[in-house]
Amino acid sequence: MINKTLFNSKIWIPPVAVFFLGIASVSGQTSRLKKDTLREKEIDEVVVVAYGKAKRNSYTGSVATISSDKINNRPVTNITKALEGQVAGVQATSASGQPGAISTIRIRGIGSISASSDPLYVVDGIPFDGNLNSISPSDIESISVLKDATASALYGSRGANGIIIITTKSGKKGEAKINFNISQGFSGRAVKDYEQVNTDQYFQLYWEALRNGYQSGKISSQQAGQMATDNLVSTLGINPYGASYPKPVGTDGKLLPGASPLWNDNWRDILQRVASRNQVDLDISGGSEKSNYFFSLGYLDDKGMAIESGFKRYNTRLKINSEVKKWLNVGVNLSYTNSVQQAPTSSDSKASNIINAARFIPSFYPYYERNADGSYVVDAAGNRIYDFGKYRPTNALQNQNAAATLPLDKNENQEDNFSGKGFLDFTFLPELKFKTSFSVDLVNYNGHYYSNPLLGQGAEIGGSVTRTNSRTLSYTTSNILTFDKKFGKHHVNALAGHEFYKYDYQTISGTRSQFSLPYYYEPDAASLLGSFSGNSNKLSLLSFLGKVEYDYNNTYFLSASGRADSSSRFSPDNRWGRFWSVGGSWKISNEEFIKNLNTFNQLTLRASYGGQGNDKLLRPNGQPLYYAYQELYRFISLGGEPGTTLEKTSTKNVKWETNLNLNVGLEFAVLNNRVKGNIEYFERKSQDLLFNMPVAPSLGISDYPANIGTIKNSGFEFSLFTTPIRNDNFQWNVDINLSTLNNKVTKLPAGSLVVGTKLLREGGSVYDFFIPEWAGVDPSNGKPLWKTISTDANGNSVEGTTSEYSKATKIIQGSALPKLTGGISTSITYKNFDFSGLLTFKIGGKILDTDYTSIMHNGSAGGRAWSAEMLNRWTPENPNTDVPGLSTTTNNWTSTSSRFLYSGTYARLKNVSLGYTLPGDYFEKIGLKKFRIYIQAENLLTFYKHKGMDPEQALDGTTYYRYPAMRTITFGLQATL
């Protein structure tokens, strides 16, 4: 636990100190500086933007770039996890630590309520529909994040929530180069689980709960204590103290002298592990004057910290570009990935959730059967026998032992991802070019879920198997004509094009049960058909787009763009959406009055405004709705007879959700480019919000899509890039990015809407908690208290308290959204050594920890593990506490309230890397150009007050028994031939 002073000193003082130290070192350094460094080139670097490239210092839009050196060496399975803390305005949250899981990315806030707020992913210029975990970080050259209207409006409806452009590596002119990287790592929990009471404490606490539960007007405290002593073992179903202590807790509530547990089986030890991570990457690249090529192979085996979980990937990529004629360039980019994810249930409240199993079962319930003296029960072959706990109370996961069943079960997701891109680039005139391209993404998914017929709950039905297959095929055709011409001090760049997108999804699923023989996993081996289902969805998008850019004397820049999209999601009357942007920038540093100051190496002011659309409506269950305007039906069987019920009414008036984006920014560089940065203000207004409007159940449907309300996201972004020290042998870089966010619902015709634990209302955020306020514990009787607000006869508001949860008043309890997010990174090179580190942080926002409540019961969930916080429960001797008294009668104190709402502020040492490149003289004779060895750590340290909960939770701020983040330590070597 860290106090506020320590928290501030750890996070805030070093950046400030680093900044001033950097200024001092810049001013006072006398060593000869390197004149041609990457840092100096960044001022005029070329960045990848929509349908092309642009020079950073003249671009009118807001774009941030992450280079390959910040991606390739990270031990991450999914590239989205490499974005955390790297870019101002980008909130990346790992909602699950399951290997292969994707992070949730939000760019400049939450743009919608019922429609998707995910950004568009573009790979090598074409929107990407494959799984992001199919892209190896080792194949990536750079990632560009387009944040404002000028940067993303050319993608129209597809870029409403920002765009992430991934550019893969290409071959370079020169001799063929071979790169090889191999690493071995080990992973475990990044954050320790909640602290629990031990066996002795549990038995005494539960005795107290029994005693209090028995006690009544007819049963005295002494009688209730005797009954608790007599029934304690039988109620819990086990006596870990052995036959010598048949009643281990006396009538005074204390353990008998000499009583000691004969075993202590921590279920985390058997259900969780130190997991291995192995990765091998090889690429071959090269090129000539007229062509280049890049070929890669990759292998990853990333085991999870939960047993029988992990992710395995085989990937390959071939990328060729060639000038076949002076007027014709051609290119092809092919990639294929096969991945297998082992994913036992780990993200909901199901009893089969392996994370729950490790947390819920106390250590006095053994995972192998025990004799009365504590020794193991063995079978005829001398093997230990797994204990399934038929004697355990239901709350302690009766009849379950995941350590025994999971190795016999299957929870497998297998995917084949193929992505193919090709283009023809014609040069009619030096200033006039035409590019036609075609891209296809094909994803074939197979889910295999098998419950064995030998052990566990599956044995009750003879085992079961579910097979799911889905096929996703999408393709994009694009035809772009560009004109680029200089006329003296004038420069014009224009673009016009057409694009068509088609999406086709098909799925089929079936379940069978009752296997006659074990170890057969396919449906053919089971005899009883349980269910069979299937469906398909189609989507198409037709687009026309154009852009004009103008600059005068490389100082004044103007841009305008437009795009029209026709989406099949909407009715023909509302199908077309028209989107646009205007932008301008002024390179003030080119003006004589600034040059004469001899202060700024760069000073650019830019602004933009524009609108984009969003058609990606989601159903309440999170699944896409492809037919937003049509009536949809549900087909059911009643007594063997087919039937049809209405699922969704026709809503032909539903139309595009629109995002209006304002961006104003100032970019600067001083001290010979040793200190660079930018400050931006953004305002993002989402109107005609797509929303699933709830209706009365009597209508036969749950909701219907509609356009309601307006949301505004606004904030500031600050990025600073410094090089405090740089000489021939030593260079130190320090980068800082900060983002503020103010999310507000500005218009809501329905007044207010309650959605789960949140309240949508004008003036509030989309994630405002609307729950009862905890008022503490009644010191006179130990009962929980919640706040009530009522109105008296005079219309005055009257506050009170109640011990009945149903009578508590729900009130606004703050938002899940943070006020400030950011990251601090540093890199140091000294001769052949290199070091880098990344600290990410979030300040503000709240998290409702519903996971914690599962082990905070008052005694009504007998057999369930208990948090160590229960040691501070109310007793007559301890009346001033916020933990109620114990009893086997429920008091609902763990119901949703502000008692379990915690600050979301945290900091995490996301990545640390240390490497050494051996001197080239050692390897020149065998043809090696470079040989580097390294060690790195991911999620090394987490600074957070509420111990036990991983602070990286879902954006809505509510925990849901998630797979925790993993800490990974990796050793590796890189070689270049």
Side-chain angles (χ1 to χ4, degrees):
M1 182 175 181
I2 57 175
N3 59 38
K4 182 176 180 181
T5 302
L6 179 59
F7 183 84
N8 288 340
S9 66
K10 290 291 185 182
I11 296 177
W12 293 110
I13 294 178
V16 176
V18 163
F19 176 79
F20 287 106
L21 177 60
I23 297 298
S25 62
V26 168
S27 303
Q29 187 164 330
T30 57
S31 300
R32 182 173 61 87
L33 302 180
K34 297 180 181 179
K35 298 297 183 184
D36 188 28
T37 67
L38 175 64
R39 285 266 163 164
E40 292 179 359
K41 290 180 179 178
E42 283 178 355
I43 291 293
D44 203 32
E45 72 172 315
V46 175
V47 294
V48 180
V49 295
Y51 298 97
K53 297 180 180 179
K55 288 187 176 181
R56 176 186 293 277
N57 67 350
S58 60
Y59 188 57
T60 61
S62 178
V63 58
T65 300
I66 305 174
S67 58
S68 59
D69 61 311
K70 294 184 178 181
I71 303 169
N72 296 166
N73 298 328
R74 294 280 299 276
V76 293
T77 302
N78 193 300
I79 57 172
T80 57
K81 295 184 182 293
L83 297 176
E84 298 171 20
Q86 299 273 25
V87 177
V90 176
Q91 186 177 354
T93 303
S94 296
S96 173
Q98 162 72 42
I102 186 173
S103 292
T104 301
I105 306 294
R106 295 292 181 265
I107 299 176
R108 292 185 166 177
I110 312 299
S112 188
I113 298 176
S114 295
S116 173
S117 292
D118 291 335
L120 172 68
Y121 293 91
V122 175
V123 177
D124 291 324
I126 303 294
F128 180 69
D129 273 336
N131 197 323
L132 288 171
N133 64 25
S134 69
I135 302 176
S136 172
S138 298
D139 285 352
I140 296 176
E141 181 68 33
S142 67
I143 296 178
S144 294
V145 181
L146 311 185
K147 297 184 283 187
D148 72 332
T150 292
S152 56
L154 266 186
Y155 285 106
S157 63
R158 308 185 75 180
N161 296 299
I163 300 167
I164 295 176
I165 298 181
I166 300 168
T167 302
T168 60
K169 293 177 179 177
S170 299
K172 303 293 191 298
K173 176 184 174 182
E175 183 182 359
K177 181 185 295 184
I178 301 175
N179 292 309
F180 178 74
N181 181 29
I182 183 171
S183 62
Q184 168 72 57
F186 303 94
S187 303
R189 292 184 67 112
V191 175
K192 290 183 179 180
D193 206 349
Y194 307 104
E195 186 180 353
Q196 298 181 5
V197 299
N198 60 33
T199 297
D200 290 348
Q201 293 167 336
Y202 194 104
F203 268 69
Q204 293 175 96
L205 287 175
Y206 199 68
W207 177 95
E208 185 177 319
L210 284 172
R211 190 271 314 271
N212 293 343
Y214 288 138
Q215 193 171 347
S216 67
K218 296 181 180 180
I219 301 176
S220 67
S221 177
Q222 292 78 12
Q223 290 173 316
Q226 183 63 58
M227 293 171 67
T229 296
D230 295 340
N231 297 326
L232 178 61
V233 168
S234 60
T235 302
L236 294 176
I238 195 169
N239 184 2
Y241 297 94
S244 299
Y245 299 91
K247 298 179 181 180
V249 178
T251 56
D252 60 352
K254 305 295 183 183
L255 279 173
L256 298 180
S260 179
L262 300 177
W263 62 83
N264 182 42
D265 288 357
N266 189 332
W267 283 77
R268 298 167 188 160
D269 295 341
I270 195 172
L271 297 179
Q272 299 175 4
R273 63 190 176 184
V274 175
S276 63
R277 187 183 194 278
N278 304 292
Q279 185 169 358
V280 180
D281 293 295
L282 171 71
D283 68 69
I284 304 171
S285 63
S288 62
E289 292 287 346
K290 295 187 176 182
S291 64
N292 62 71
Y293 62 89
F294 175 85
F295 173 71
S296 69
L297 292 169
Y299 166 76
L300 170 68
D301 186 7
D302 189 7
K303 303 292 186 186
M305 47 73 62
I307 64 170
E308 303 301 321
S309 69
F311 180 81
K312 188 176 290 187
R313 179 178 66 208
Y314 302 87
N315 60 276
T316 183
R317 181 179 297 274
L318 175 63
K319 189 175 182 181
I320 300 174
N321 298 294
S322 179
E323 181 186 317
V324 296
K325 298 289 183 180
K326 288 185 178 180
W327 49 270
L328 177 62
N329 287 325
V330 301
V332 64
N333 188 349
L334 305 174
S335 67
Y336 169 75
T337 300
N338 172 262
S339 64
V340 180
Q341 184 184 51
Q342 304 293 340
T345 304
S346 61
S347 60
D348 58 31
S349 57
K350 293 181 180 179
S352 57
N353 186 325
I354 190 171
I355 306 302
N356 286 353
R359 179 181 297 150
F360 284 2
I361 308 177
S363 59
F364 54 81
Y365 291 121
Y367 28 78
Y368 295 109
E369 291 185 8
R370 300 273 189 166
N371 293 305
D373 62 358
S375 61
Y376 291 107
V377 177
V378 297
D379 59 18
N383 299 313
R384 297 175 184 176
I385 302 173
Y386 280 105
D387 191 330
F388 280 84
K390 294 182 179 180
Y391 54 85
R392 293 200 299 256
T394 303
N395 293 298
L397 304 185
Q398 189 180 65
N399 296 327
Q400 293 190 55
N401 191 321
T405 57
L406 279 180
L408 300 176
D409 296 341
K410 277 186 178 293
N411 296 276
E412 186 175 278
N413 302 311
Q414 184 171 186
E415 279 193 354
D416 294 286
N417 279 258
F418 170 78
S419 182
K421 301 175 179 66
F423 72 85
L424 299 173
D425 196 344
F426 299 89
T427 302
F428 301 126
L429 297 170
E431 60 272 7
L432 186 64
K433 295 182 179 181
F434 175 75
K435 183 176 183 179
T436 181
S437 60
F438 178 81
S439 170
V440 61
D441 290 313
L442 176 62
V443 180
N444 188 70
Y445 165 81
N446 274 286
H448 193 179
Y449 308 99
Y450 166 79
S451 179
N452 78 88
L454 297 175
L455 300 173
Q457 294 183 331
E460 299 174 3
I461 57 172
S464 66
V465 60
T466 298
R467 273 287 199 178
T468 299
N469 177 263
S470 67
R471 177 181 181 271
T472 303
L473 174 66
S474 65
Y475 66 85
T476 302
T477 61
S478 176
N479 298 285
I480 305 294
L481 182 68
T482 58
F483 175 82
D484 191 278
K485 181 72 173 178
K486 286 188 176 182
F487 307 90
K489 294 183 178 182
H490 305 273
H491 176 219
V492 175
N493 179 278
L495 173 155
H498 155 272
E499 193 170 80
F500 179 72
Y501 168 76
K502 187 74 173 181
Y503 175 91
D504 189 339
Y505 172 81
Q506 302 170 17
T507 184
I508 194 170
S509 179
T511 299
R512 299 183 77 164
S513 60
Q514 294 187 6
F515 287 85
S516 58
L517 292 172
Y519 309 114
Y520 287 86
Y521 308 109
E522 299 298 339
D524 279 355
S527 59
L528 181 63
L529 177 64
S531 64
F532 182 78
S533 61
N535 61 74
S536 63
N537 289 294
K538 298 181 185 296
L539 172 68
S540 59
L541 191 71
L542 175 64
S543 307
F544 297 93
L545 56 112
K547 178 180 71 170
V548 177
E549 294 179 334
Y550 166 80
D551 75 78
Y552 175 74
N553 198 27
N554 196 34
T555 301
Y556 309 100
F557 303 85
L558 295 173
S559 68
S561 67
R563 175 163 172 148
D565 284 337
S566 176
S567 171
S568 64
R569 296 180 192 262
F570 302 119
S571 72
D573 294 337
N574 293 316
R575 188 153 288 173
W576 283 96
R578 294 166 180 83
F579 315 108
W580 54 276
S581 74
V582 292
S585 65
W586 176 24
K587 194 182 294 184
I588 310 174
S589 51
N590 281 1
E591 303 286 2
E592 289 299 323
F593 68 90
I594 294 295
K595 289 181 179 180
N596 293 336
L597 296 176
N598 292 320
T599 301
F600 293 97
N601 303 109
Q602 182 196 8
L603 186 63
T604 301
L605 178 67
R606 61 171 56 92
S608 66
Y609 187 69
Q612 301 131 295
N614 190 356
D615 67 339
K616 302 178 183 65
L617 184 64
L618 304 176
R619 300 295 288 144
N621 62 5
Q623 296 300 309
L625 178 60
Y626 296 100
Y627 312 99
Y629 72 99
Q630 294 178 324
E631 273 189 351
L632 298 180
Y633 296 90
R634 183 183 296 108
F635 301 97
I636 60 175
S637 175
L638 297 173
E641 295 295 326
T644 303
T645 61
L646 184 66
E647 182 179 1
K648 188 187 82 66
T649 60
S650 174
T651 50
K652 293 184 179 181
N653 292 329
V654 67
K655 60 182 180 179
W656 290 89
E657 180 178 285
T658 303
N659 275 258
L660 298 173
N661 297 298
L662 169 69
N663 184 82
V664 180
L666 179 69
E667 189 168 354
F668 62 89
V670 296
L671 300 175
N672 293 323
N673 301 322
R674 301 280 293 280
V675 177
K676 299 179 300 181
N678 62 74
I679 303 171
E680 291 183 291
Y681 170 78
F682 69 89
E683 189 171 287
R684 179 184 176 198
K685 182 181 179 182
S686 302
Q687 61 187 27
D688 296 324
L689 292 172
L690 290 168
F691 184 74
N692 293 309
M693 182 69 72
V695 297
S698 59
L699 296 179
I701 59 174
S702 60
D703 56 84
Y704 67 91
N707 295 99
I708 67 162
T710 304
I711 294 176
K712 186 174 77 172
N713 292 276
S714 61
F716 289 91
E717 297 170 2
F718 173 72
S719 299
L720 185 67
F721 310 93
T722 69
T723 304
I725 301 175
R726 183 179 66 220
N727 57 42
D728 288 338
N729 294 321
F730 187 91
Q731 179 161 319
W732 177 28
N733 299 324
V734 178
D735 301 339
I736 304 171
N737 71 80
L738 302 171
S739 308
T740 68
L741 176 64
N742 181 28
N743 175 274
K744 184 181 293 186
V745 178
T746 56
K747 182 181 179 182
L748 197 65
S752 63
L753 293 169
V754 178
V755 182
T757 59
K758 310 299 188 302
L759 177 68
L760 292 175
R761 63 192 172 99
E762 292 186 4
S765 82
V766 295
Y767 290 144
D768 278 350
F769 285 102
F770 185 60
I771 55 179
E773 181 172 329
W774 175 253
V777 173
D778 190 331
S780 65
N781 57 25
K783 291 183 178 182
L785 296 174
W786 295 275
K787 188 176 181 179
T788 61
I789 302 176
S790 59
T791 303
D792 63 16
N794 298 320
N796 299 317
S797 179
V798 179
E799 294 187 2
T801 59
T802 180
S803 292
E804 297 182 46
Y805 180 77
S806 61
K807 295 181 179 180
T809 303
K810 292 182 178 181
I811 61 175
I812 297 295
Q813 300 285 354
S815 173
L817 296 175
K819 293 296 184 183
L820 181 70
T821 58
I824 304 170
S825 63
T826 186
S827 63
I828 297 172
T829 57
Y830 174 68
K831 294 185 177 180
N832 290 356
F833 289 94
D834 61 88
F835 170 83
S836 65
L838 171 65
L839 178 78
T840 63
F841 57 88
K842 182 178 76 171
I843 296 177
K846 294 186 177 182
I847 300 173
L848 182 62
D849 191 358
T850 57
D851 292 7
Y852 191 39
T853 60
S854 63
I855 58 171
M856 289 285 282
H857 58 95
N858 69 315
S860 57
R864 173 76 58 82
W866 250 330
S867 164
E869 191 176 351
M870 299 305 296
L871 295 172
N872 190 36
R873 81 283 180 199
W874 177 94
T875 65
E877 298 74 31
N878 182 39
N880 300 312
T881 177
D882 64 348
V883 181
L886 302 182
S887 175
T888 52
T889 302
T890 183
N891 58 11
N892 294 315
W893 92 282
T894 56
S895 298
T896 301
S897 77
S898 62
R899 170 61 171 79
F900 302 102
L901 200 61
Y902 299 92
S903 168
T905 299
Y906 76 92
R908 173 165 277 170
L909 188 56
K910 200 68 183 177
N911 181 262
V912 175
S913 176
L914 176 65
Y916 178 73
T917 302
L918 278 69
D921 297 343
Y922 292 177
F923 301 101
E924 284 183 353
K925 294 181 180 180
I926 60 174
L928 273 178
K929 294 184 176 66
K930 178 181 178 181
F931 190 86
R932 176 178 179 263
I933 56 176
Y934 63 88
I935 179 174
Q936 54 189 347
E938 194 81 3
N939 295 327
L940 185 60
L941 296 172
T942 302
F943 305 96
Y944 185 60
K945 184 177 181 180
H946 177 44
K947 300 302 182 182
M949 186 190 78
D950 192 321
E952 278 193 71
Q953 294 289 337
L955 290 172
D956 67 359
T958 302
T959 64
Y960 198 52
Y961 308 105
R962 57 166 291 231
Y963 198 116
M966 293 198 297
R967 177 188 293 118
T968 303
I969 310 295
T970 305
F971 306 86
L973 61 87
Q974 298 169 322
T976 300
L977 293 172

